[in-house]
Amino acid sequence: MRVAFRVDASSTMGTGHLKRCLSLAEALQGQGAEVLWVVRPLDDVAARLLAATTWPVCWLPPPAAGAEIPADSDAPPCAAWAQVAWPQDASDTAQALAGCVPDWLVVDHYALDARWHGAVRTALGCRLLVIDDTADRPLDADVLLDQNWHADHRAKYAGHLQREPLWLMGPRFALLAPAYLTAPRYCFRATVESIGIFMGGTDPGGASAKALHSCRASDFLGLVEVVSTSANPALPALRAACEADPHATLTLDLPDLAAFLARHDLQIGAGGGATWERCCVGVPSIGVVLADNQAV
């Protein structure tokens, strides 16, 4: 089976979409699937994350500098994330995959809706697995995966679906890296001796440094380990903040967070996929909403 992934990452949209797709791709490869990627270079974030992968990557043309996306009254709320109009993205994707048509196309992109899904399905004749958690636009999925908890997922997506999909709903379908199957679990201690901070791969708004400051402002004097990535645009300021604190360390570009999550008595982190990683390890956590969809 050939499975293609259409997903992006950038300083604006973060790294979470690509990271959870990498986890799914690794699991699919373990089942014998052939994996390939279709990614648009919106900045250098995606290239950094995919630098070590051995899977083939079809890089779509970068957005034209200064180009304006035509007005579209039906556009999804996050349409600007794609930096090109949806017909162009659909055409670019179909052309990229024309010589290696997949059996399945996994789409994890808040900027793409049912119009894009339908156009690419027609062009390639493949089935679509759509990963979503916003339910803020029309979707045309053969399989719909939403790893977030909700009391009634059918009610959540009511009026947004062009066809009846196979439903993969809730945290039991969380896209965690295979390392979490055997990852160490947190062992509870009576006091908080150390704190971990992870605010996503691109750390919107410099939240990591703010969390470190809050720890010290609350008179916590113990070790604080801050984890981030080389794709963090605020990395110089974060590095300076950690270097100025004798009991803070900065760790970059971990392949997974499992051991980091288990070695601290409290985790402070953004919502998104890392929420389920923290739950899997069982560490007490403070969740921070850094994007609207994380509050759902």
Side-chain angles (χ1 to χ4, degrees):
M1 180 185 295
R2 178 180 293 143
V3 181
F5 286 79
R6 175 67 189 97
V7 60
D8 288 332
S10 71
S11 58
T12 298
M13 65 192 302
T15 62
H17 300 271
L18 183 49
K19 291 288 287 184
R20 66 189 182 187
C21 283
L22 284 166
S23 296
L24 178 56
E26 190 172 348
L28 287 169
Q29 185 182 55
Q31 296 295 315
E34 176 187 346
V35 173
L36 65 155
W37 299 85
V38 181
V39 183
R40 193 178 300 278
L42 305 176
D43 51 27
D44 65 348
V45 171
R48 287 175 180 269
L49 289 176
L50 291 170
T53 185
T54 58
W55 292 307
V57 180
C58 300
W59 291 102
L60 301 181
E68 294 187 5
I69 300 176
D72 180 358
S73 60
D74 296 323
C78 295
W81 286 8
Q83 298 186 32
V84 300
W86 76 262
Q88 183 64 55
D89 197 283
S91 175
D92 290 345
T93 300
Q95 290 182 35
L97 293 173
C100 50
V101 175
D103 301 288
W104 283 91
L105 177 60
V106 178
V107 186
D108 189 348
H109 210 306
Y110 294 160
L112 307 177
D113 62 12
R115 298 171 297 178
W116 187 100
H117 302 151
V120 173
R121 179 189 283 107
T122 298
L124 297 176
C126 61
R127 290 177 287 180
L128 269 64
L129 187 159
V130 175
I131 300 173
D132 188 61
D133 44 47
T134 58
D136 63 355
R137 65 202 185 282
L139 303 173
D140 188 359
D142 297 285
V143 177
L144 178 62
L145 193 160
D146 182 342
Q147 64 183 5
N148 287 351
W149 182 89
H150 196 277
D152 187 344
H153 282 92
R154 287 184 177 271
K156 177 179 178 179
Y157 286 93
H160 293 295
L161 302 180
Q162 303 294 304
R163 66 179 66 205
E164 177 69 15
L166 173 65
W167 297 76
L168 304 179
M169 299 288 118
R172 68 190 179 117
F173 294 103
L175 298 173
L176 304 187
Y180 286 90
L181 286 172
T182 57
R185 273 32 179 183
Y186 170 72
C187 295
F188 282 87
R189 287 192 284 260
T191 59
V192 175
E193 298 179 10
S194 66
I195 295 176
I197 297 173
F198 176 68
M199 293 296 184
T202 56
D203 191 9
S208 296
K210 294 175 183 177
L212 175 59
H213 174 76
S214 295
C215 290
R216 299 315 183 199
S218 64
D219 296 327
F220 179 75
L221 303 178
L223 173 67
V224 177
E225 181 181 8
V226 181
V227 167
S228 191
T229 73
S230 300
N232 180 351
L235 186 56
L238 178 58
R239 193 188 301 276
C242 291
E243 290 176 350
D245 187 321
H247 300 293
T249 63
L250 176 62
T251 304
L252 298 177
D253 301 324
L254 291 175
D256 63 74
L257 300 178
F260 158 73
L261 295 175
R263 64 177 168 254
H264 298 295
D265 302 305
L266 176 67
Q267 288 288 336
I268 303 174
T275 298
W276 307 121
E277 294 173 348
R278 294 189 290 266
C279 288
C280 179
V281 173
V283 59
S285 303
I286 297 173
V288 182
V289 174
L290 297 181
D292 291 343
N293 64 293
Q294 294 175 356
V296 176

mmCIF file of all heavy atoms in Angstrom, residues 246-263:
data_model
loop_
_atom_site.group_PDB
_atom_site.id
_atom_site.type_symbol
_atom_site.label_atom_id
_atom_site.label_comp_id
_atom_site.label_asym_id
_atom_site.label_seq_id
_atom_site.Cartn_x
_atom_site.Cartn_y
_atom_site.Cartn_z
ATOM 1 N N PRO A 246 20.551 30.005 36.765
ATOM 2 C CA PRO A 246 21.508 28.937 37.100
ATOM 3 C C PRO A 246 20.875 27.567 37.294
ATOM 4 O O PRO A 246 21.584 26.560 37.295
ATOM 5 C CB PRO A 246 22.143 29.442 38.400
ATOM 6 C CG PRO A 246 21.139 30.385 38.987
ATOM 7 C CD PRO A 246 20.471 31.034 37.826
ATOM 8 N N HIS A 247 19.560 27.520 37.428
ATOM 9 C CA HIS A 247 18.889 26.237 37.637
ATOM 10 C C HIS A 247 17.935 25.894 36.483
ATOM 11 O O HIS A 247 16.972 25.150 36.679
ATOM 12 C CB HIS A 247 18.135 26.250 38.962
ATOM 13 C CG HIS A 247 19.015 26.484 40.155
ATOM 14 N ND1 HIS A 247 19.964 25.572 40.575
ATOM 15 C CD2 HIS A 247 19.113 27.530 41.005
ATOM 16 C CE1 HIS A 247 20.597 26.030 41.631
ATOM 17 N NE2 HIS A 247 20.105 27.226 41.916
ATOM 18 N N ALA A 248 18.222 26.455 35.320
ATOM 19 C CA ALA A 248 17.424 26.151 34.130
ATOM 20 C C ALA A 248 18.316 25.566 33.049
ATOM 21 O O ALA A 248 19.479 25.952 32.907
ATOM 22 C CB ALA A 248 16.730 27.403 33.609
ATOM 23 N N THR A 249 17.799 24.598 32.311
ATOM 24 C CA THR A 249 18.517 24.018 31.178
ATOM 25 C C THR A 249 17.633 24.077 29.944
ATOM 26 O O THR A 249 16.393 24.065 30.042
ATOM 27 C CB THR A 249 18.913 22.560 31.440
ATOM 28 O OG1 THR A 249 17.724 21.767 31.613
ATOM 29 C CG2 THR A 249 19.778 22.433 32.679
ATOM 30 N N LEU A 250 18.253 24.135 28.784
ATOM 31 C CA LEU A 250 17.541 24.165 27.508
ATOM 32 C C LEU A 250 17.949 22.941 26.700
ATOM 33 O O LEU A 250 19.140 22.708 26.472
ATOM 34 C CB LEU A 250 17.868 25.442 26.738
ATOM 35 C CG LEU A 250 17.261 25.571 25.337
ATOM 36 C CD1 LEU A 250 15.737 25.586 25.395
ATOM 37 C CD2 LEU A 250 17.776 26.829 24.638
ATOM 38 N N THR A 251 16.965 22.154 26.274
ATOM 39 C CA THR A 251 17.199 20.957 25.472
ATOM 40 C C THR A 251 16.501 21.132 24.133
ATOM 41 O O THR A 251 15.327 21.525 24.091
ATOM 42 C CB THR A 251 16.659 19.708 26.185
ATOM 43 O OG1 THR A 251 17.251 19.612 27.486
ATOM 44 C CG2 THR A 251 16.972 18.450 25.397
ATOM 45 N N LEU A 252 17.193 20.824 23.039
ATOM 46 C CA LEU A 252 16.653 21.055 21.706
ATOM 47 C C LEU A 252 16.534 19.760 20.909
ATOM 48 O O LEU A 252 17.350 18.845 21.039
ATOM 49 C CB LEU A 252 17.548 22.031 20.929
ATOM 50 C CG LEU A 252 17.697 23.444 21.492
ATOM 51 C CD1 LEU A 252 18.674 24.244 20.633
ATOM 52 C CD2 LEU A 252 16.352 24.144 21.569
ATOM 53 N N ASP A 253 15.480 19.721 20.091
ATOM 54 C CA ASP A 253 15.331 18.727 19.022
ATOM 55 C C ASP A 253 15.345 17.285 19.510
ATOM 56 O O ASP A 253 15.997 16.409 18.925
ATOM 57 C CB ASP A 253 16.419 18.930 17.959
ATOM 58 C CG ASP A 253 16.385 20.321 17.337
ATOM 59 O OD1 ASP A 253 15.275 20.856 17.165
ATOM 60 O OD2 ASP A 253 17.450 20.880 17.041
ATOM 61 N N LEU A 254 14.609 17.010 20.580
ATOM 62 C CA LEU A 254 14.465 15.629 21.031
ATOM 63 C C LEU A 254 13.670 14.834 19.995
ATOM 64 O O LEU A 254 12.686 15.327 19.444
ATOM 65 C CB LEU A 254 13.733 15.589 22.369
ATOM 66 C CG LEU A 254 14.474 16.142 23.584
ATOM 67 C CD1 LEU A 254 13.549 16.145 24.802
ATOM 68 C CD2 LEU A 254 15.723 15.328 23.867
ATOM 69 N N PRO A 255 14.046 13.578 19.731
ATOM 70 C CA PRO A 255 13.270 12.762 18.791
ATOM 71 C C PRO A 255 11.864 12.474 19.306
ATOM 72 O O PRO A 255 10.926 12.314 18.527
ATOM 73 C CB PRO A 255 14.105 11.486 18.654
ATOM 74 C CG PRO A 255 14.961 11.452 19.889
ATOM 75 C CD PRO A 255 15.238 12.878 20.231
ATOM 76 N N ASP A 256 11.702 12.386 20.609
ATOM 77 C CA ASP A 256 10.391 12.302 21.248
ATOM 78 C C ASP A 256 10.547 12.833 22.669
ATOM 79 O O ASP A 256 11.660 13.006 23.167
ATOM 80 C CB ASP A 256 9.825 10.878 21.237
ATOM 81 C CG ASP A 256 10.682 9.906 22.032
ATOM 82 O OD1 ASP A 256 10.640 9.986 23.282
ATOM 83 O OD2 ASP A 256 11.365 9.067 21.426
ATOM 84 N N LEU A 257 9.402 13.102 23.315
ATOM 85 C CA LEU A 257 9.419 13.744 24.628
ATOM 86 C C LEU A 257 9.265 12.757 25.778
ATOM 87 O O LEU A 257 9.187 13.167 26.935
ATOM 88 C CB LEU A 257 8.287 14.775 24.720
ATOM 89 C CG LEU A 257 8.307 15.926 23.714
ATOM 90 C CD1 LEU A 257 7.090 16.817 23.933
ATOM 91 C CD2 LEU A 257 9.583 16.734 23.817
ATOM 92 N N ALA A 258 9.212 11.473 25.488
ATOM 93 C CA ALA A 258 8.820 10.490 26.499
ATOM 94 C C ALA A 258 9.690 10.552 27.752
ATOM 95 O O ALA A 258 9.180 10.678 28.874
ATOM 96 C CB ALA A 258 8.852 9.088 25.896
ATOM 97 N N ALA A 259 10.998 10.460 27.611
ATOM 98 C CA ALA A 259 11.877 10.464 28.779
ATOM 99 C C ALA A 259 11.849 11.812 29.491
ATOM 100 O O ALA A 259 11.868 11.879 30.720
ATOM 101 C CB ALA A 259 13.306 10.118 28.361
ATOM 102 N N PHE A 260 11.794 12.887 28.724
ATOM 103 C CA PHE A 260 11.686 14.236 29.296
ATOM 104 C C PHE A 260 10.434 14.368 30.150
ATOM 105 O O PHE A 260 10.476 14.904 31.268
ATOM 106 C CB PHE A 260 11.684 15.262 28.167
ATOM 107 C CG PHE A 260 11.085 16.594 28.517
ATOM 108 C CD1 PHE A 260 11.748 17.488 29.350
ATOM 109 C CD2 PHE A 260 9.851 16.967 27.997
ATOM 110 C CE1 PHE A 260 11.189 18.720 29.668
ATOM 111 C CE2 PHE A 260 9.289 18.192 28.308
ATOM 112 C CZ PHE A 260 9.959 19.079 29.146
ATOM 113 N N LEU A 261 9.320 13.869 29.676
ATOM 114 C CA LEU A 261 8.066 13.974 30.422
ATOM 115 C C LEU A 261 8.129 13.188 31.725
ATOM 116 O O LEU A 261 7.583 13.612 32.749
ATOM 117 C CB LEU A 261 6.907 13.482 29.561
ATOM 118 C CG LEU A 261 6.593 14.301 28.308
ATOM 119 C CD1 LEU A 261 5.499 13.625 27.496
ATOM 120 C CD2 LEU A 261 6.186 15.730 28.670
ATOM 121 N N ALA A 262 8.803 12.043 31.711
ATOM 122 C CA ALA A 262 8.822 11.169 32.886
ATOM 123 C C ALA A 262 9.771 11.644 33.971
ATOM 124 O O ALA A 262 9.609 11.260 35.131
ATOM 125 C CB ALA A 262 9.194 9.744 32.463
ATOM 126 N N ARG A 263 10.753 12.481 33.631
ATOM 127 C CA ARG A 263 11.782 12.802 34.626
ATOM 128 C C ARG A 263 11.481 14.057 35.449
ATOM 129 O O ARG A 263 12.289 14.450 36.293
ATOM 130 C CB ARG A 263 13.148 12.918 33.973
ATOM 131 C CG ARG A 263 13.340 14.023 32.974
ATOM 132 C CD ARG A 263 14.792 14.031 32.487
ATOM 133 N NE ARG A 263 14.993 14.890 31.326
ATOM 134 C CZ ARG A 263 15.172 14.452 30.092
ATOM 135 N NH1 ARG A 263 15.165 13.162 29.845
ATOM 136 N NH2 ARG A 263 15.358 15.306 29.092
#
